[in-house]
Amino acid sequence: MSARFADKVILITGATSGMGRAAAERLAAEGAKLVLAARGKEAGDALVAGLRAAGGEATFVPADVTVETEAAELVRQAVERYGRLDGAFNNVGAATAMGPVTGIDSDAWHADLALNLSSVFFALKHQIPALHAAGGGAIVNNASNLGVTGAAGMASYSAAKHGVVGLTRSAALDTAAAGVRINALITGGVDTPLLRANLGPKPEEALRAAAAMHPLGRIAQPDEIAAFVAFLLSDEARFITGAALAIDGGLTAA
């Protein structure tokens, strides 16, 4: 595999599972120095150990990026350890409030917005100055297909992910002149532990139904998302910014 991220420092939130973990493995294999963040220290330490055993360079910082001070400290530690920050994949997110709009209480609404939108805002607020100081770089925010569509019973999650798309576009315009590119991923179904944990009592049936929703007839594997993240963070994508880019098996085209 190429070393296109040699000497580049990349931060990943939501790094210990699914798409975040796959991105960490891909970027480490391409030479990146990684700063990985999630709430669970044990899983983070295990991931770092595995990456280092494979020849990669990574460090783990336990962080809840729904809290601005922790998002800021994460960036500070990245720069303190490696001297710079060149890119980030803001991957934290999950649907936490399910059901019709009339059944979502205020606390659940705000919790969904905190996890899926405020976390990205806090990340960008503190990542962008570090990328400016490094002379530029790239950020990818995970918005999901519900950043451009709706779904019954997922109002707060969809509202938050639509917010991520708008935030991405506005921040990209704020930072373009300084050489910082910011894009959003529009992902479809991805075979992650989180997805499988929410499949209900008939998981195989639910997986088949999810696959059937996608014109390509399947859901993605995390490494497919990771490859696209790596492309967007690389200099090969140096003319792409402010975009919401679908990697969804044709889901949103329908």
Side-chain angles (χ1 to χ4, degrees):
M1 194 169 284
S2 72
R4 60 181 167 173
F5 292 99
D7 301 320
K8 299 291 187 182
V9 180
I10 309 293
L11 188 158
I12 302 175
T13 69
T16 55
S17 183
M19 290 174 275
R21 184 186 184 94
E25 292 169 347
R26 175 68 181 242
L27 292 166
E30 293 199 47
K33 297 178 176 68
L34 298 177
V35 179
L36 308 175
R39 290 172 176 168
K41 187 175 187 305
E42 186 176 340
D45 289 343
L47 175 57
V48 165
L51 293 173
R52 289 178 177 172
E57 171 57 37
T59 189
F60 178 74
V61 179
D64 178 355
V65 290
T66 68
V67 179
E68 183 174 359
T69 54
E70 296 197 27
E73 177 64 12
L74 176 59
V75 173
R76 189 195 69 78
Q77 289 198 38
V79 174
E80 182 180 78
R81 181 174 181 88
Y82 294 116
R84 58 188 293 126
L85 183 65
D86 300 290
F89 177 33
N90 295 316
N91 178 58
V92 165
T96 62
M98 308 294 287
V101 171
T102 52
I104 300 173
D105 67 30
S106 177
D107 287 345
W109 167 262
H110 285 291
D112 239 355
L113 294 187
L115 181 60
N116 295 292
L117 178 57
S118 295
S119 64
V120 180
F121 165 68
F122 294 145
L124 292 176
K125 181 178 177 180
H126 296 282
Q127 291 164 2
I128 288 169
L131 267 64
H132 283 179
I139 298 172
V140 177
N141 300 321
N142 197 347
S144 100
N145 67 92
L146 288 184
V148 294
T149 65
M154 299 186 73
S156 56
Y157 181 77
S158 181
K161 292 300 190 179
H162 273 72
V164 170
V165 172
L167 174 61
T168 296
R169 287 174 170 153
S170 294
L173 296 176
D174 287 341
T175 63
V180 175
R181 300 183 298 100
I182 308 175
N183 293 293
L185 284 187
I186 305 302
T187 51
V190 184
D191 192 356
T192 65
L194 181 60
L195 174 73
R196 287 183 174 267
N198 290 293
L199 288 176
K202 298 180 178 178
E204 295 306 318
E205 196 173 297
L207 275 176
R208 286 194 294 272
M213 293 171 61
H214 297 69
L216 286 184
R218 65 177 180 87
I219 60 175
Q221 294 301 310
D223 66 305
E224 294 176 298
I225 308 301
F228 196 36
V229 170
F231 166 70
L232 290 173
L233 290 175
S234 78
D235 289 341
E236 295 169 40
R238 60 187 174 273
F239 202 59
I240 303 175
T241 196
L245 298 160
I247 178 167
D248 66 355
L251 181 64
T252 55

